[in-house]
Amino acid sequence: MLDALQVVTTVLVGLMVGVESAVAFVMNPVLGSLPEDAEQQARSKGGRMLGALMPFWYVGSLALAAAWAVAAGNALVVTSAGLLVLSVVMSLLLLVPINNRGKRWTPETRPADWKEQLSRWDRYHCVRVAVIVAAFALLVTALV
């Protein structure tokens, strides 16, 4: 049973790292090259779509890592779970408030500083990606 928990946790966190890395390093730069109205509309749509999915993914990954940490008592997994807690806290305090505003914007209703807000979200997101990459690397290392 522990083997299955380890594999499922590692795969789930790895997929999350892939999605969040793609957002940071592929999608948002591509969207940033679009005309302003199209960029803002696409980022609002992405915020609505991923904003509905990612809380379950983050919390689910954390729950699985915590279960693995409790079951195995492995320091690498415990540290990974701690990093996943940090990623959830960062999300709630830094990223979600910006995302919640941005997903409601339209070209007519967006604030004058919308680009600055999205830029701040992108910076926080890159830090969060680094945190979940580190958590994933620890999980993979714990498997070895």
Side-chain angles (χ1 to χ4, degrees):
M1 188 67 174
L2 181 59
D3 290 343
L5 176 63
Q6 292 169 330
V7 170
V8 169
T9 303
T10 304
V11 169
L12 190 65
V13 173
L15 289 170
M16 184 172 68
V17 165
V19 168
E20 294 291 41
S21 295
V23 167
F25 305 117
V26 179
M27 292 307 304
N28 285 347
V30 167
L31 297 178
S33 70
L34 296 172
E36 284 190 349
D37 287 356
E39 174 189 7
Q40 182 269 303
Q41 290 172 329
R43 292 207 32 166
S44 290
K45 174 69 173 175
R48 286 188 300 275
M49 186 174 62
L50 289 174
L53 170 65
M54 297 316 286
F56 298 103
W57 208 336
Y58 273 83
V59 172
S61 295
L62 170 57
L64 288 169
W68 179 1
V70 168
N74 183 309
L76 294 172
V77 180
V78 171
T79 304
S80 177
L83 289 171
L84 292 172
V85 168
L86 176 61
S87 74
V88 169
V89 170
M90 289 177 63
S91 297
L92 293 172
L93 296 179
L94 302 173
L95 291 116
V96 168
I98 297 169
N99 190 62
N100 283 344
R101 289 190 301 271
K103 68 186 183 182
R104 292 188 308 266
W105 295 337
T106 67
E108 297 78 27
T109 65
R110 65 184 180 225
D113 70 339
W114 71 278
K115 281 228 180 231
E116 291 81 16
Q117 290 188 53
L118 293 181
S119 179
R120 187 169 53 251
W121 188 93
D122 288 342
R123 288 191 305 274
Y124 293 152
H125 181 66
C126 284
V127 173
R128 181 175 62 178
V129 169
V131 169
I132 64 173
V133 166
F136 177 62
L138 290 171
L139 292 176
V140 171
T141 303
L143 289 174
V144 178

Short mmCIF file of all heavy atoms in Angstrom, two decimals, residues 59-113:
data_model
loop_
_atom_site.label_atom_id
_atom_site.label_comp_id
_atom_site.label_asym_id
_atom_site.label_seq_id
_atom_site.Cartn_x
_atom_site.Cartn_y
_atom_site.Cartn_z
N VAL A 59 -4.18 20.89 -2.51
CA VAL A 59 -4.55 20.28 -1.24
C VAL A 59 -4.47 18.76 -1.32
O VAL A 59 -4.01 18.10 -0.38
CB VAL A 59 -5.95 20.76 -0.79
CG1 VAL A 59 -6.44 20.00 0.43
CG2 VAL A 59 -5.92 22.26 -0.51
N GLY A 60 -4.87 18.20 -2.45
CA GLY A 60 -4.75 16.75 -2.63
C GLY A 60 -3.31 16.29 -2.59
O GLY A 60 -2.98 15.27 -1.95
N SER A 61 -2.42 17.02 -3.25
CA SER A 61 -0.99 16.69 -3.23
C SER A 61 -0.44 16.78 -1.82
O SER A 61 0.32 15.91 -1.38
CB SER A 61 -0.22 17.64 -4.15
OG SER A 61 -0.60 17.46 -5.48
N LEU A 62 -0.82 17.83 -1.11
CA LEU A 62 -0.38 18.00 0.27
C LEU A 62 -0.89 16.86 1.14
O LEU A 62 -0.13 16.29 1.95
CB LEU A 62 -0.85 19.35 0.81
CG LEU A 62 -0.67 19.58 2.31
CD1 LEU A 62 0.78 19.42 2.73
CD2 LEU A 62 -1.21 20.95 2.69
N ALA A 63 -2.14 16.49 1.01
CA ALA A 63 -2.71 15.40 1.82
C ALA A 63 -1.99 14.08 1.56
O ALA A 63 -1.67 13.34 2.50
CB ALA A 63 -4.21 15.26 1.54
N LEU A 64 -1.72 13.80 0.30
CA LEU A 64 -1.01 12.55 -0.03
C LEU A 64 0.42 12.58 0.52
O LEU A 64 0.90 11.58 1.07
CB LEU A 64 -1.00 12.33 -1.54
CG LEU A 64 -2.34 11.94 -2.15
CD1 LEU A 64 -2.27 12.00 -3.67
CD2 LEU A 64 -2.76 10.56 -1.68
N ALA A 65 1.11 13.71 0.37
CA ALA A 65 2.48 13.82 0.89
C ALA A 65 2.48 13.69 2.42
O ALA A 65 3.37 13.05 3.00
CB ALA A 65 3.11 15.13 0.45
N ALA A 66 1.49 14.29 3.06
CA ALA A 66 1.40 14.18 4.52
C ALA A 66 1.14 12.73 4.94
O ALA A 66 1.74 12.24 5.91
CB ALA A 66 0.29 15.10 5.04
N ALA A 67 0.28 12.04 4.21
CA ALA A 67 0.02 10.63 4.52
C ALA A 67 1.28 9.79 4.35
O ALA A 67 1.59 8.93 5.19
CB ALA A 67 -1.10 10.10 3.62
N TRP A 68 2.03 10.06 3.29
CA TRP A 68 3.29 9.35 3.06
C TRP A 68 4.28 9.67 4.18
O TRP A 68 4.95 8.78 4.70
CB TRP A 68 3.84 9.75 1.70
CG TRP A 68 5.14 9.15 1.28
CD1 TRP A 68 5.93 8.26 1.96
CD2 TRP A 68 5.82 9.40 0.05
NE1 TRP A 68 7.06 7.97 1.23
CE2 TRP A 68 7.01 8.64 0.05
CE3 TRP A 68 5.53 10.20 -1.06
CZ2 TRP A 68 7.92 8.67 -1.01
CZ3 TRP A 68 6.43 10.23 -2.11
CH2 TRP A 68 7.61 9.47 -2.09
N ALA A 69 4.35 10.93 4.57
CA ALA A 69 5.26 11.34 5.65
C ALA A 69 4.93 10.63 6.95
O ALA A 69 5.82 10.15 7.66
CB ALA A 69 5.21 12.86 5.83
N VAL A 70 3.65 10.54 7.26
CA VAL A 70 3.23 9.86 8.49
C VAL A 70 3.52 8.36 8.39
O VAL A 70 4.02 7.74 9.34
CB VAL A 70 1.73 10.12 8.77
CG1 VAL A 70 1.20 9.21 9.86
CG2 VAL A 70 1.52 11.58 9.13
N ALA A 71 3.22 7.77 7.25
CA ALA A 71 3.39 6.32 7.08
C ALA A 71 4.86 5.91 7.08
O ALA A 71 5.20 4.85 7.63
CB ALA A 71 2.73 5.87 5.78
N ALA A 72 5.72 6.74 6.50
CA ALA A 72 7.12 6.33 6.33
C ALA A 72 8.07 7.02 7.29
O ALA A 72 9.16 6.53 7.54
CB ALA A 72 7.56 6.59 4.89
N GLY A 73 7.69 8.19 7.80
CA GLY A 73 8.58 8.93 8.68
C GLY A 73 9.86 9.38 8.02
O GLY A 73 10.86 9.62 8.69
N ASN A 74 9.85 9.49 6.71
CA ASN A 74 11.03 9.87 5.93
C ASN A 74 11.21 11.39 5.99
O ASN A 74 10.30 12.14 5.65
CB ASN A 74 10.85 9.38 4.49
CG ASN A 74 12.03 9.65 3.61
OD1 ASN A 74 12.53 10.76 3.55
ND2 ASN A 74 12.47 8.62 2.91
N ALA A 75 12.40 11.83 6.38
CA ALA A 75 12.67 13.27 6.52
C ALA A 75 12.52 14.02 5.20
O ALA A 75 12.06 15.17 5.18
CB ALA A 75 14.07 13.50 7.09
N LEU A 76 12.88 13.38 4.10
CA LEU A 76 12.72 14.04 2.79
C LEU A 76 11.24 14.29 2.49
O LEU A 76 10.86 15.35 1.98
CB LEU A 76 13.35 13.19 1.69
CG LEU A 76 14.86 13.02 1.73
CD1 LEU A 76 15.30 11.99 0.69
CD2 LEU A 76 15.56 14.35 1.51
N VAL A 77 10.41 13.32 2.80
CA VAL A 77 8.97 13.44 2.54
C VAL A 77 8.35 14.45 3.49
O VAL A 77 7.48 15.24 3.09
CB VAL A 77 8.28 12.07 2.61
CG1 VAL A 77 6.79 12.20 2.35
CG2 VAL A 77 8.91 11.10 1.62
N VAL A 78 8.79 14.45 4.74
CA VAL A 78 8.30 15.44 5.70
C VAL A 78 8.64 16.85 5.21
O VAL A 78 7.79 17.75 5.24
CB VAL A 78 8.88 15.17 7.11
CG1 VAL A 78 8.56 16.32 8.06
CG2 VAL A 78 8.36 13.85 7.66
N THR A 79 9.86 17.04 4.74
CA THR A 79 10.28 18.35 4.22
C THR A 79 9.48 18.71 2.98
O THR A 79 9.04 19.86 2.82
CB THR A 79 11.78 18.36 3.91
OG1 THR A 79 12.50 17.98 5.10
CG2 THR A 79 12.24 19.73 3.45
N SER A 80 9.26 17.74 2.12
CA SER A 80 8.44 17.97 0.92
C SER A 80 7.03 18.41 1.31
O SER A 80 6.49 19.36 0.73
CB SER A 80 8.38 16.71 0.06
OG SER A 80 7.54 16.90 -1.05
N ALA A 81 6.44 17.73 2.27
CA ALA A 81 5.10 18.10 2.73
C ALA A 81 5.11 19.52 3.30
O ALA A 81 4.18 20.29 3.06
CB ALA A 81 4.59 17.11 3.77
N GLY A 82 6.17 19.87 4.01
CA GLY A 82 6.30 21.24 4.52
C GLY A 82 6.36 22.26 3.40
O GLY A 82 5.75 23.34 3.49
N LEU A 83 7.08 21.93 2.33
CA LEU A 83 7.13 22.84 1.17
C LEU A 83 5.76 22.95 0.50
O LEU A 83 5.39 24.02 0.02
CB LEU A 83 8.19 22.37 0.18
CG LEU A 83 9.63 22.56 0.63
CD1 LEU A 83 10.59 21.86 -0.34
CD2 LEU A 83 9.98 24.04 0.76
N LEU A 84 5.04 21.85 0.46
CA LEU A 84 3.69 21.91 -0.12
C LEU A 84 2.76 22.74 0.75
O LEU A 84 1.89 23.46 0.23
CB LEU A 84 3.15 20.50 -0.36
CG LEU A 84 3.87 19.71 -1.46
CD1 LEU A 84 3.40 18.27 -1.50
CD2 LEU A 84 3.71 20.38 -2.81
N VAL A 85 2.93 22.70 2.07
CA VAL A 85 2.17 23.60 2.95
C VAL A 85 2.51 25.04 2.60
O VAL A 85 1.62 25.89 2.47
CB VAL A 85 2.48 23.32 4.44
CG1 VAL A 85 1.94 24.43 5.33
CG2 VAL A 85 1.92 21.98 4.87
N LEU A 86 3.80 25.32 2.45
CA LEU A 86 4.23 26.68 2.07
C LEU A 86 3.58 27.11 0.75
O LEU A 86 3.12 28.24 0.62
CB LEU A 86 5.75 26.75 1.96
CG LEU A 86 6.34 28.07 1.48
CD1 LEU A 86 5.97 29.22 2.43
CD2 LEU A 86 7.85 27.95 1.32
N SER A 87 3.51 26.21 -0.22
CA SER A 87 2.91 26.55 -1.52
C SER A 87 1.42 26.89 -1.37
O SER A 87 0.92 27.79 -2.05
CB SER A 87 3.12 25.43 -2.54
OG SER A 87 2.28 24.32 -2.29
N VAL A 88 0.73 26.18 -0.49
CA VAL A 88 -0.69 26.46 -0.25
C VAL A 88 -0.84 27.81 0.45
O VAL A 88 -1.70 28.63 0.08
CB VAL A 88 -1.35 25.32 0.55
CG1 VAL A 88 -2.75 25.71 1.03
CG2 VAL A 88 -1.41 24.05 -0.29
N VAL A 89 -0.01 28.07 1.44
CA VAL A 89 -0.07 29.35 2.15
C VAL A 89 0.24 30.50 1.19
O VAL A 89 -0.47 31.52 1.19
CB VAL A 89 0.89 29.35 3.36
CG1 VAL A 89 1.02 30.74 3.97
CG2 VAL A 89 0.41 28.36 4.41
N MET A 90 1.27 30.34 0.36
CA MET A 90 1.59 31.36 -0.64
C MET A 90 0.40 31.60 -1.56
O MET A 90 0.08 32.75 -1.89
CB MET A 90 2.79 30.93 -1.49
CG MET A 90 4.11 30.95 -0.80
SD MET A 90 5.42 30.34 -1.89
CE MET A 90 5.36 31.58 -3.19
N SER A 91 -0.21 30.52 -1.99
CA SER A 91 -1.36 30.63 -2.88
C SER A 91 -2.46 31.46 -2.24
O SER A 91 -2.98 32.40 -2.85
CB SER A 91 -1.89 29.25 -3.25
OG SER A 91 -0.93 28.51 -3.96
N LEU A 92 -2.81 31.10 -1.01
CA LEU A 92 -3.93 31.76 -0.33
C LEU A 92 -3.63 33.23 -0.03
O LEU A 92 -4.52 34.08 -0.18
CB LEU A 92 -4.27 31.03 0.96
CG LEU A 92 -4.85 29.63 0.79
CD1 LEU A 92 -4.97 28.93 2.14
CD2 LEU A 92 -6.19 29.69 0.08
N LEU A 93 -2.42 33.53 0.37
CA LEU A 93 -2.10 34.89 0.79
C LEU A 93 -1.67 35.80 -0.36
O LEU A 93 -1.94 37.01 -0.31
CB LEU A 93 -0.98 34.87 1.85
CG LEU A 93 -1.32 34.19 3.17
CD1 LEU A 93 -0.11 34.23 4.09
CD2 LEU A 93 -2.54 34.83 3.82
N LEU A 94 -1.02 35.26 -1.38
CA LEU A 94 -0.42 36.10 -2.41
C LEU A 94 -1.10 35.98 -3.77
O LEU A 94 -1.36 37.00 -4.42
CB LEU A 94 1.07 35.77 -2.56
CG LEU A 94 1.92 35.90 -1.30
CD1 LEU A 94 3.32 35.37 -1.55
CD2 LEU A 94 1.94 37.34 -0.83
N LEU A 95 -1.34 34.77 -4.22
CA LEU A 95 -1.80 34.58 -5.59
C LEU A 95 -3.31 34.60 -5.75
O LEU A 95 -3.83 35.22 -6.69
CB LEU A 95 -1.23 33.26 -6.15
CG LEU A 95 0.28 33.35 -6.36
CD1 LEU A 95 1.01 32.38 -5.46
CD2 LEU A 95 0.62 33.12 -7.79
N VAL A 96 -4.03 33.95 -4.86
CA VAL A 96 -5.49 33.87 -4.99
C VAL A 96 -6.16 35.26 -4.97
O VAL A 96 -7.05 35.50 -5.79
CB VAL A 96 -6.09 32.93 -3.93
CG1 VAL A 96 -7.60 33.04 -3.86
CG2 VAL A 96 -5.67 31.49 -4.23
N PRO A 97 -5.74 36.16 -4.10
CA PRO A 97 -6.40 37.48 -4.14
C PRO A 97 -6.26 38.19 -5.50
O PRO A 97 -7.23 38.76 -6.00
CB PRO A 97 -5.69 38.27 -3.04
CG PRO A 97 -5.22 37.23 -2.08
CD PRO A 97 -4.82 36.06 -2.95
N ILE A 98 -5.09 38.10 -6.10
CA ILE A 98 -4.90 38.71 -7.43
C ILE A 98 -5.72 37.96 -8.46
O ILE A 98 -6.40 38.57 -9.30
CB ILE A 98 -3.41 38.73 -7.81
CG1 ILE A 98 -2.61 39.59 -6.84
CG2 ILE A 98 -3.23 39.24 -9.26
CD1 ILE A 98 -1.10 39.46 -6.98
N ASN A 99 -5.68 36.64 -8.41
CA ASN A 99 -6.44 35.83 -9.36
C ASN A 99 -7.94 36.09 -9.26
O ASN A 99 -8.63 36.19 -10.28
CB ASN A 99 -6.15 34.34 -9.14
CG ASN A 99 -6.71 33.48 -10.24
OD1 ASN A 99 -6.32 33.61 -11.39
ND2 ASN A 99 -7.64 32.62 -9.89
N ASN A 100 -8.43 36.22 -8.03
CA ASN A 100 -9.87 36.46 -7.85
C ASN A 100 -10.30 37.79 -8.46
O ASN A 100 -11.41 37.91 -8.98
CB ASN A 100 -10.25 36.40 -6.38
CG ASN A 100 -10.32 34.97 -5.88
OD1 ASN A 100 -10.39 34.01 -6.65
ND2 ASN A 100 -10.28 34.81 -4.57
N ARG A 101 -9.44 38.78 -8.38
CA ARG A 101 -9.76 40.06 -9.04
C ARG A 101 -9.66 39.90 -10.55
O ARG A 101 -10.58 40.30 -11.28
CB ARG A 101 -8.81 41.16 -8.56
CG ARG A 101 -9.04 41.60 -7.14
CD ARG A 101 -8.23 42.84 -6.78
NE ARG A 101 -6.78 42.69 -6.94
CZ ARG A 101 -5.95 42.26 -5.99
NH1 ARG A 101 -6.44 41.89 -4.80
NH2 ARG A 101 -4.66 42.18 -6.22
N GLY A 102 -8.57 39.33 -11.02
CA GLY A 102 -8.30 39.23 -12.45
C GLY A 102 -9.28 38.40 -13.23
O GLY A 102 -9.57 38.70 -14.39
N LYS A 103 -9.83 37.38 -12.63
CA LYS A 103 -10.74 36.51 -13.39
C LYS A 103 -12.07 37.18 -13.68
O LYS A 103 -12.82 36.71 -14.53
CB LYS A 103 -10.91 35.16 -12.69
CG LYS A 103 -11.65 35.20 -11.38
CD LYS A 103 -11.62 33.82 -10.73
CE LYS A 103 -12.40 33.79 -9.44
NZ LYS A 103 -12.31 32.47 -8.81
N ARG A 104 -12.35 38.29 -13.02
CA ARG A 104 -13.61 39.02 -13.27
C ARG A 104 -13.41 40.20 -14.24
O ARG A 104 -14.39 40.82 -14.65
CB ARG A 104 -14.17 39.54 -11.96
CG ARG A 104 -14.66 38.45 -11.04
CD ARG A 104 -15.40 39.00 -9.82
NE ARG A 104 -14.65 40.01 -9.09
CZ ARG A 104 -13.89 39.77 -8.03
NH1 ARG A 104 -13.75 38.55 -7.60
NH2 ARG A 104 -13.26 40.75 -7.43
N TRP A 105 -12.18 40.54 -14.56
CA TRP A 105 -11.93 41.69 -15.42
C TRP A 105 -12.37 41.45 -16.85
O TRP A 105 -12.31 40.35 -17.38
CB TRP A 105 -10.45 42.04 -15.44
CG TRP A 105 -9.88 42.50 -14.13
CD1 TRP A 105 -10.56 43.04 -13.08
CD2 TRP A 105 -8.52 42.44 -13.75
NE1 TRP A 105 -9.68 43.32 -12.06
CE2 TRP A 105 -8.42 42.97 -12.45
CE3 TRP A 105 -7.36 41.99 -14.37
CZ2 TRP A 105 -7.21 43.06 -11.77
CZ3 TRP A 105 -6.16 42.09 -13.70
CH2 TRP A 105 -6.09 42.62 -12.41
N THR A 106 -12.80 42.52 -17.46
CA THR A 106 -13.04 42.57 -18.90
C THR A 106 -12.25 43.76 -19.42
O THR A 106 -11.78 44.59 -18.62
CB THR A 106 -14.54 42.78 -19.22
OG1 THR A 106 -14.93 44.09 -18.78
CG2 THR A 106 -15.41 41.71 -18.56
N PRO A 107 -12.12 43.89 -20.72
CA PRO A 107 -11.41 45.07 -21.23
C PRO A 107 -12.04 46.39 -20.75
O PRO A 107 -11.33 47.38 -20.59
CB PRO A 107 -11.52 44.92 -22.75
CG PRO A 107 -11.57 43.44 -22.96
CD PRO A 107 -12.40 42.93 -21.79
N GLU A 108 -13.32 46.37 -20.47
CA GLU A 108 -14.01 47.58 -20.03
C GLU A 108 -13.89 47.83 -18.53
O GLU A 108 -14.00 48.97 -18.08
CB GLU A 108 -15.50 47.53 -20.40
CG GLU A 108 -15.79 47.47 -21.89
CD GLU A 108 -15.57 46.08 -22.50
OE1 GLU A 108 -15.70 45.05 -21.80
OE2 GLU A 108 -15.24 46.02 -23.70
N THR A 109 -13.68 46.78 -17.75
CA THR A 109 -13.70 46.93 -16.29
C THR A 109 -12.34 46.76 -15.62
O THR A 109 -12.25 46.96 -14.41
CB THR A 109 -14.66 45.90 -15.66
OG1 THR A 109 -14.17 44.58 -15.89
CG2 THR A 109 -16.07 46.07 -16.21
N ARG A 110 -11.33 46.40 -16.37
CA ARG A 110 -10.03 46.16 -15.72
C ARG A 110 -9.47 47.47 -15.18
O ARG A 110 -9.67 48.54 -15.76
CB ARG A 110 -9.06 45.50 -16.69
CG ARG A 110 -8.68 46.37 -17.87
CD ARG A 110 -7.78 45.63 -18.83
NE ARG A 110 -7.44 46.49 -19.95
CZ ARG A 110 -7.47 46.12 -21.22
NH1 ARG A 110 -7.79 44.87 -21.54
NH2 ARG A 110 -7.14 46.97 -22.16
N PRO A 111 -8.74 47.40 -14.06
CA PRO A 111 -8.18 48.63 -13.48
C PRO A 111 -6.98 49.12 -14.29
O PRO A 111 -6.40 48.38 -15.09
CB PRO A 111 -7.75 48.18 -12.08
CG PRO A 111 -7.51 46.72 -12.21
CD PRO A 111 -8.48 46.22 -13.25
N ALA A 112 -6.60 50.34 -14.04
CA ALA A 112 -5.48 50.93 -14.77
C ALA A 112 -4.18 50.17 -14.52
O ALA A 112 -3.32 50.09 -15.39
CB ALA A 112 -5.33 52.40 -14.39
N ASP A 113 -4.04 49.59 -13.33
CA ASP A 113 -2.80 48.89 -12.98
C ASP A 113 -2.89 47.38 -13.21
O ASP A 113 -2.13 46.61 -12.61
CB ASP A 113 -2.42 49.18 -11.53
CG ASP A 113 -3.36 48.52 -10.53
OD1 ASP A 113 -4.51 48.18 -10.90
OD2 ASP A 113 -2.94 48.34 -9.38
#
